[in-house]
Amino acid sequence: MSDFEPRLEQLDIGLFQPISTQTSRGDKRSLLKLQACARQPGQYRYLEIGSHLGGTLQPHYVDPRCERIFSIDKRPAAQPDERGIIYEYHDNSTERMRANLRTAYPQADHDRLVTFDCDASDVNPTDITPRPEFCFIDGEHTNPAVLSDFAFCRQVCADDAVIAFHDTCFVFEGVRQIQRDLTAEGVRFIGVKLGGSVYAILLGEACDRLLAELKPLVEDEAAYFERAQLELERMHLQNRYPILRMLDYPRKIFRRLRRKVG
Ligand SMILES: C[S@@+](CC[C@H](N)C(=O)[O-])C[C@H]1O[C@@H](n2cnc3c(N)ncnc32)[C@H](O)[C@@H]1O
C-alpha cells in the first residue's frame, strides 16, 4: 500500500477496511495513533489478544515497519462478559481470519503472522520473540480475564511497551485494579484514557516518549469511568428486569425527536 504512511499520519480510519472490526471511529483513531507511536523508532512488534476476523490486525498487516504480529485468540463458541450476557461468535476460526487477511492483502508478508488458538495464559512466553512494543487486549471482556491478559502481556512485552485495552467501559474495574497493582509494585507507568473505549498503559520510558504525543486524544478518565459504572449498573438492572428495556424505547425516541427539532 503506497500511501500507507500519510494515511496513518492522518489517522485515516479507512485503514480498518475491508475486514470488519468491532471498533468505533474513536477506537480506530486511538489505535492508529498508538500504532504511529509504536513504529516511531523503526521496526516494531504487535501482539493482540482477541482478533476474531482480523479487523484490528489489518493496519499492522500492511505496515512495512511491523516485523511480527502475534495473534492470540481462544475462539470459544461463546464467551462471558461483564455486561452479564453470554456473547456468541459463530464460525470463529483462525483459518477464516487468515483467509480474510490473505484475500484483502495478497501482497503482504503473511509469514509475519504468528497465531495461538488458546488463552494467553496457556501460551509459552518464550514463543513471543522478539518482544512486542504494542499489545492490544480485546479478548474476553471480564475483569479477571483482563487482569490475566495484562499479566501475560507484561511478561512478554518490551520494557517501554504500550499495553492498550478495548471496551474499557465494561472492564474498568480490571483496569483500576491493574493501576493499583502497578503502583504497589513501584512500576513506572502512566494510564491514559483515549478516544472511543480505548485505554492505554504506557510503561517505563514510553511515559516520557509518548505522553505529549498522545495528549490531543486524552480524555477525562474519572468522568469516563464514572459514566461507565452507571451504564453498566443500568445494563445489569435491565438484565434482571427485562421490562426496563421496553421503558427505554420511549426515552430514546424522545431524545431523537428533541435532537431533530434542535
Ligand atoms: C471482541 S472480539 C475481538 C474483535 C477484534 N479485535 C476486532 O475488533 O476486529 C473478541 C475475541 O476474543 C476472543 N476470545 C474470547 N475469549 C478469549 C480468551 N480467553 N483469550 C483470548 N481470546 C479470547 C473471541 O474468540 C473473539 O474472537
Side-chain angles (χ1 to χ4, degrees):
M1 191 184 287
S2 59
D3 56 353
F4 171 77
E5 309 247 343
R7 290 180 70 188
L8 181 67
E9 197 66 31
Q10 290 157 23
L11 309 184
D12 175 358
I13 63 168
L15 288 169
F16 285 93
Q17 277 166 3
I19 303 172
S20 79
T21 146
Q22 299 182 341
T23 48
S24 68
R25 293 175 69 86
D27 294 329
K28 291 182 178 95
R29 285 174 56 80
S30 300
L31 293 174
L32 292 176
K33 187 70 192 172
L34 291 172
Q35 178 174 349
C37 289
R39 71 198 301 280
Q40 259 172 11
Q43 299 281 92
Y44 75 100
R45 278 64 43 176
Y46 175 67
L47 182 146
E48 183 173 283
I49 300 179
S51 295
H52 191 36
L53 301 173
T56 37
L57 289 182
Q58 58 196 326
H60 302 276
Y61 214 73
V62 292
D63 190 334
R65 289 200 190 170
C66 188
E67 189 202 9
R68 191 72 54 92
I69 301 173
F70 303 101
S71 164
I72 302 173
D73 196 311
K74 192 175 169 188
R75 304 197 182 269
Q79 63 183 72
D81 188 290
E82 284 301 328
R83 283 165 281 189
I85 298 167
I86 301 288
Y87 281 85
E88 292 187 4
Y89 285 86
H90 300 287
D91 193 15
N92 187 11
S93 72
T94 298
E95 294 70 47
R96 185 178 173 203
M97 180 182 84
R98 280 189 181 275
N100 287 345
L101 290 162
R102 270 198 306 271
T103 307
Y105 307 106
Q107 315 288 350
D109 171 7
H110 308 294
D111 295 339
R112 282 182 310 175
L113 176 63
V114 183
T115 56
F116 302 87
D117 281 25
C118 59
D119 190 271
S121 59
D122 294 322
V123 174
N124 186 342
T126 60
D127 288 342
I128 310 291
T129 46
R131 288 177 172 267
E133 288 82 2
F134 179 14
C135 303
F136 180 48
I137 297 176
D138 192 17
E140 181 184 303
H141 292 342
T142 64
N143 294 316
V146 159
L147 285 170
S148 165
D149 288 344
F150 182 79
F152 176 79
C153 289
R154 258 196 83 204
Q155 206 182 345
V156 300
C157 74
D159 291 341
D160 59 348
V162 173
I163 305 178
F165 306 86
H166 187 228
D167 283 335
T168 318
C169 46
F170 308 129
V171 291
F172 54 88
E173 278 303 352
V175 173
R176 279 179 176 151
Q177 185 60 48
I178 285 165
Q179 291 171 325
R180 286 193 289 271
D181 292 346
L182 291 174
T183 305
E185 256 187 76
V187 173
R188 181 150 183 259
F189 78 98
I190 294 177
V192 280
K193 168 66 188 56
L194 302 175
S197 63
V198 175
Y199 191 92
I201 302 262
L202 320 181
L203 292 170
E205 283 174 20
C207 301
D208 308 316
R209 220 164 23 87
L210 305 180
L211 190 58
E213 192 128 348
L214 292 172
K215 220 154 207 158
L217 294 186
V218 172
E219 295 180 353
D220 182 339
E221 170 178 331
Y224 178 78
F225 281 5
E226 200 177 313
R227 274 200 313 275
Q229 184 151 6
L230 283 173
E231 185 61 17
L232 199 58
E233 280 165 14
R234 191 182 65 84
M235 286 179 193
H236 289 164
L237 262 179
Q238 282 185 339
N239 291 342
R240 196 188 263 183
Y241 308 108
I243 181 79
L244 292 175
R245 244 174 253 150
M246 289 168 67
L247 297 177
D248 228 24
Y249 284 121
R251 207 177 66 184
K252 275 189 199 148
I253 292 165
F254 176 71
R255 263 201 232 126
R256 230 172 271 157
L257 274 176
R258 203 169 51 182
R259 241 179 275 138
K260 265 201 183 139
V261 281

